[in-house]
Amino acid sequence: MNAFVQLQNNIEQNSDNLEIKASAIPSSKKIPGSIIIVIGESANRDMMSAFNSSYSKNTTPWEKASRGKNGFIFFDNSFANFPNTVMAVTQALTSSNQYNGIPLKDSIDLLDVAHKAGYHTYWLSLQNKSTVSDAGITVLANRADTIKWIHGHDEAVLSELKNIPPTENNFIIIHLNGSHFRYDRRVPQEFIEKNNLAVESKTDWYNTSLQYTDCVLKEIYHYGKESLHMQAMVYFSDHGEDMEYTHTSSPFLFDMVHIPFWIYLSPEYQAAYHDTYQSSRKNEKEIFTNDLMFESISGIIHAESTSYQPEYDITSSKYNLSRNHALTLHGKKYIKDDTE
Ligand SMILES: [Zn+2]
């Protein structure tokens, strides 16, 4: 908890020291439009048909169909840096990661990077504001130019998106409730009835929440494309989920860190930054841990800050994280020990 208080105390200063390298042209200048980042909640890719084609249910029909389409890149070997929300998301959205030795209190955050790179930044959250356990996330959310704490099921984010000016450079982070326990509270009754979904067991309910998230992602994608001039969309989960123990550091099970992660890059984006598109494609089978989201999203918007390191950027030809070096549980577990 102390680390989040220190981050709160330092973040303004850290941001003042932040500089974007002048060598690259940020995407806000080269391809004006919107960038949408969706942070999922407790989604386990092993139970998502888009990532695991042998899974018994088609829990993610839209993502599964999108996999082969132009501009979508799915990273099948992605892991959370920690099996709880606040620990995972704070490393995902700051320059602190498991490999570079930068403590959270000295890190810079992605919203400040995007702001300096020419975007109006948004934090749209379906999760509760400022419960003690989420204090670290509120510290980051407060860096956004516009912050909305939204009540209701995840689809409520759509009406907030409609308030965003369509012709500006927007950098929008959406923090979903996704599949957070209890799963039955995440899904509207109409969705279950409309899709005739089974709701007998806990696993059924979990599957239902994944399918609902898939539908919300589809809606966000289409609205972004049609109305916000969306140039890039990123979806990843904070951590995974185990059907018996949910997500916790003890006992730790690898399915708690098996996360979905994909990127969509528009045709205009692909033409403007052909190398970024090609490198991302080439890296789609690489091991990735979501503490490297800071570098990877900085890479997508071509806003290389002073602390950006290309070897942590999955969209870079210099990306370099071997299976033997990849870590989770904030450095306490090797990904290579994952036999699940
Ligand atoms: Zn979480």
Side-chain angles (χ1 to χ4, degrees):
M1 196 54 68
N2 193 30
F4 304 130
V5 175
Q6 288 176 319
L7 178 64
Q8 164 100 60
N9 293 339
N10 294 357
I11 199 161
E12 188 76 44
Q13 179 75 47
N14 298 352
S15 163
D16 286 346
N17 296 335
L18 159 66
E19 280 173 42
I20 307 288
K21 284 181 203 159
S23 52
I25 306 170
S27 53
S28 63
K29 299 239 160 47
K30 210 167 178 179
I31 41 163
S34 296
I35 308 290
I36 301 183
I37 312 297
V38 184
I39 306 175
E41 176 59 65
S42 306
N44 174 350
R45 61 174 148 80
D46 301 334
M47 299 171 80
M48 296 172 66
S49 53
F51 287 87
N52 177 6
S53 56
S54 59
Y55 191 56
S56 58
K57 288 230 163 73
N58 190 7
T59 47
T60 52
W62 177 73
E63 286 160 280
K64 192 174 179 172
S66 299
R67 242 192 115 100
K69 291 191 180 148
N70 182 27
F72 282 90
I73 304 162
F74 280 65
F75 299 91
D76 288 334
N77 295 304
S78 300
F79 295 82
N81 67 76
F82 203 88
N84 84 35
T85 307
V86 67
M87 302 287 269
V89 172
T90 47
Q91 278 207 349
L93 299 184
T94 66
S95 58
S96 173
N97 67 43
Q98 299 178 98
Y99 315 100
N100 65 9
I102 298 176
L104 195 60
K105 68 181 174 66
D106 298 330
S107 68
I108 55 175
D109 70 280
L110 189 60
L111 283 159
D112 276 304
V113 169
H115 179 86
K116 287 214 174 169
Y119 287 96
H120 186 95
T121 58
Y122 292 83
W123 182 274
L124 308 181
S125 178
L126 278 301
Q127 299 206 3
N128 291 332
K129 185 194 176 189
S130 281
T131 57
V132 174
S133 64
D134 285 343
I137 293 177
T138 307
V139 172
L140 296 176
N142 284 338
R143 303 307 298 169
D145 298 315
T146 302
I147 309 162
K148 298 280 180 192
W149 304 95
I150 305 162
H151 299 284
H153 289 114
D154 282 348
E155 68 197 57
V157 76
L158 268 302
S159 44
E160 278 304 331
L161 285 178
K162 288 174 184 155
N163 294 326
I164 294 178
T167 55
E168 307 214 335
N169 286 316
N170 306 303
F171 182 89
I172 305 158
I173 295 185
I174 298 171
H175 193 196
L176 296 178
N177 255 325
S179 298
H180 200 285
F181 194 76
R182 291 178 35 189
Y183 316 133
D184 58 319
R185 293 187 181 163
R186 308 295 157 226
V187 190
Q189 186 60 32
E190 311 86 78
F191 183 81
I192 292 161
E193 286 166 14
K194 193 176 138 208
N195 294 286
N196 200 15
L197 300 173
V199 285
E200 303 292 315
S201 65
K202 191 167 148 191
T203 301
D204 284 343
W205 275 111
Y206 184 74
N207 288 337
T208 303
S209 70
L210 291 173
Q211 188 161 339
Y212 180 61
T213 299
D214 182 73
C215 178
V216 171
L217 289 169
K218 176 177 81 176
E219 300 283 326
I220 294 169
Y221 169 83
H222 284 298
Y223 187 78
K225 288 278 280 180
E226 285 151 24
S227 303
L228 290 174
H229 205 127
M230 185 174 76
Q231 299 289 12
M233 179 168 169
V234 175
Y235 170 64
F236 68 97
S237 186
D238 60 344
H239 50 75
E241 187 82 334
D242 177 84
M243 284 300 100
E244 188 171 354
Y245 298 104
T246 69
H247 52 275
T248 156
S249 52
S250 178
F252 172 82
L253 294 162
F254 272 99
D255 57 359
M256 296 171 182
V257 292
H258 284 177
I259 57 160
F261 169 35
W262 54 257
I263 294 175
Y264 166 79
L265 301 173
S266 73
E268 197 181 339
Y269 186 104
Q270 293 173 42
Y273 296 109
H274 190 66
D275 291 352
T276 305
Y277 178 66
Q278 287 300 328
S279 308
S280 304
R281 245 314 143 229
K282 205 164 146 263
N283 290 336
E284 64 191 354
K285 298 291 168 212
E286 295 291 323
I287 299 281
F288 180 79
T289 56
N290 68 356
D291 45 334
L292 307 183
M293 213 49 85
F294 172 87
E295 255 83 12
S296 300
I297 296 171
S298 296
I300 289 172
I301 62 173
H302 287 262
E304 301 178 1
S305 57
T306 28
S307 70
Y308 166 87
Q309 292 175 274
E311 65 268 35
Y312 302 136
D313 173 3
I314 193 81
T315 75
S316 168
S317 58
K318 299 193 181 92
Y319 183 72
N320 185 15
L321 179 66
S322 72
R323 191 171 182 88
N324 282 340
H325 288 99
L327 298 165
T328 184
L329 205 61
H330 282 188
K332 294 200 175 69
K333 289 266 181 204
Y334 280 102
I335 299 297
K336 67 180 178 192
D337 294 330
D338 180 8
T339 52
E340 284 172 33

